[in-house]
């Protein structure tokens, strides 16, 4: 899409950002962690068809960790007990399997670190210079750690993440609740604010939440998929919003 056709994000009451795949390339780390864990699990349990990259976009991307596990297993007609978030990573429960994946993610994050996308960082600078409120809306329970490692946590006075959602019993994306509650925390009306997402479920969430503008960032899911989910505009990188 031509940059000249893009709206000025500083004119909105606030801009709410997803994290993984929008601000930082952690989506790639999540993808690799999920693939390693589910490939091993499916082989051990004799589950077919094997895990593929498409499974990530269909069942995991943008969702809270345990919801994603349950969704993917259900796609293979596999049901296991939900368990409890305190379950050991060896437990054959939804929570145990989710915790198993998280060990891989945390190890890679510690060993390799993470940096924001340059275009996303530049857009944050522009919004903050204009005084436009910003917030993070992420299904990940690792959001604060990722923001800290990336060196940008101090930019966000409001962080709606998987931990807050679990504590307050807020439904996962694609339900609109996480974005709507985050807007309330910022003190703005979604109808006068913008939301930026790279996941199909996240775009659905923001669209259902009644945001004035829903921006889809195509990091691999596909521009048309994001438009069909409710994105008003789709870009390849947030640098397209810079003058």
């Amino acid at each position: 899409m031509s940059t000249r056709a893009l709206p000025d994000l500083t004119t909105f009451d606030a801009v709410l950002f997803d994290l993984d795949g929008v601000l930082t390339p952690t989506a790639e780390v999540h993808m690799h962690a999920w693939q390693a864990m589910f490939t091993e699990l499916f082989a051990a349990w004799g589950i077919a068809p094997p895990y593929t990259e498409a499974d990530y976009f269909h069942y995991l991307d943008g969702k809270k960790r345990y919801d994603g596990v349950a969704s993917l297993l259900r796609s293979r007609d596999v049901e296991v007990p939900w368990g409890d978030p305190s379950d050991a990573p060896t437990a054959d429960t939804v929570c145990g399997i989710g915790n198993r994946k998280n060990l891989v993610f945390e190890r890679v994050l510690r060993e390799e670190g993470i940096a924001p996308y340059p275009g996303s960082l530049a857009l944050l600078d522009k919004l903050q210079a204009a005084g436009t409120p910003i917030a993070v809306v992420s299904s990940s329970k690792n959001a604060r750690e990722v923001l800290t490692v990336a060196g940008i946590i101090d930019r966000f006075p409001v962080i709606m993440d998987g931990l807050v959602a679990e504590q307050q019993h807020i439904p996962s994306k694609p339900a609109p609740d996480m974005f709507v509650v985050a807007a309330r925390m910022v003190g703005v009306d979604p109808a006068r604010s913008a939301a930026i997402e790279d996941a199909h479920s996240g775009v659905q969430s923001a669209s259902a939440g009644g945001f004035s503008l829903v921006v889809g960032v195509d990091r691999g899911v596909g521009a048309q998929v994001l438009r069909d989910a409710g994105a008003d505009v789709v870009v390849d990188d947030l640098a397209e919003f810079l003058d």
Side-chain angles (χ1 to χ4, degrees), residues 12-78:
F12 292 85
D13 285 2
V15 180
L16 278 58
F17 292 82
D18 177 44
L19 175 59
D20 300 331
V22 170
L23 294 176
T24 60
T26 32
E28 298 172 14
V29 183
H30 282 293
M31 287 179 69
H32 294 155
W34 282 121
Q35 182 173 19
M37 192 276 296
F38 271 119
T39 297
E40 181 178 335
L41 181 73
F42 281 16
W45 288 9
I47 296 175
Y51 180 86
T52 68
E53 185 176 288
D55 286 319
Y56 174 79
F57 292 113
H58 286 313
Y59 305 112
L60 303 168
D61 191 20
K63 295 182 181 179
K64 289 191 287 188
R65 189 190 315 160
Y66 303 141
D67 289 343
V69 171
S71 177
L72 179 53
L73 290 179
R74 198 172 299 120
S75 76
R76 303 303 200 273
D77 296 321
V78 175

Side-chain angles (χ1 to χ4, degrees), residues 23-153:
L23 294 176
T24 60
T26 32
E28 298 172 14
V29 183
H30 282 293
M31 287 179 69
H32 294 155
W34 282 121
Q35 182 173 19
M37 192 276 296
F38 271 119
T39 297
E40 181 178 335
L41 181 73
F42 281 16
W45 288 9
I47 296 175
Y51 180 86
T52 68
E53 185 176 288
D55 286 319
Y56 174 79
F57 292 113
H58 286 313
Y59 305 112
L60 303 168
D61 191 20
K63 295 182 181 179
K64 289 191 287 188
R65 189 190 315 160
Y66 303 141
D67 289 343
V69 171
S71 177
L72 179 53
L73 290 179
R74 198 172 299 120
S75 76
R76 303 303 200 273
D77 296 321
V78 175
E79 295 284 345
V80 298
W82 187 270
D84 183 84
S86 63
D87 285 354
T90 54
D92 290 333
T93 63
V94 167
C95 293
I97 293 168
N99 294 343
R100 198 176 311 174
K101 170 264 176 182
N102 204 50
L103 289 179
V104 180
F105 176 84
E106 289 177 343
R107 175 177 56 78
V108 174
L109 187 64
R110 285 194 306 269
E111 293 176 354
E112 301 182 8
I114 202 77
Y117 289 107
S120 300
L121 189 60
L123 178 59
L124 292 180
D125 289 340
K126 178 180 178 178
L127 292 170
Q128 291 188 291
T132 306
I134 58 175
V136 166
V137 184
S138 171
S139 298
S140 174
K141 290 184 176 181
N142 299 300
R144 287 182 177 274
E145 182 180 3
V146 170
L147 288 166
T148 299
V149 173
I152 55 175
I153 191 167

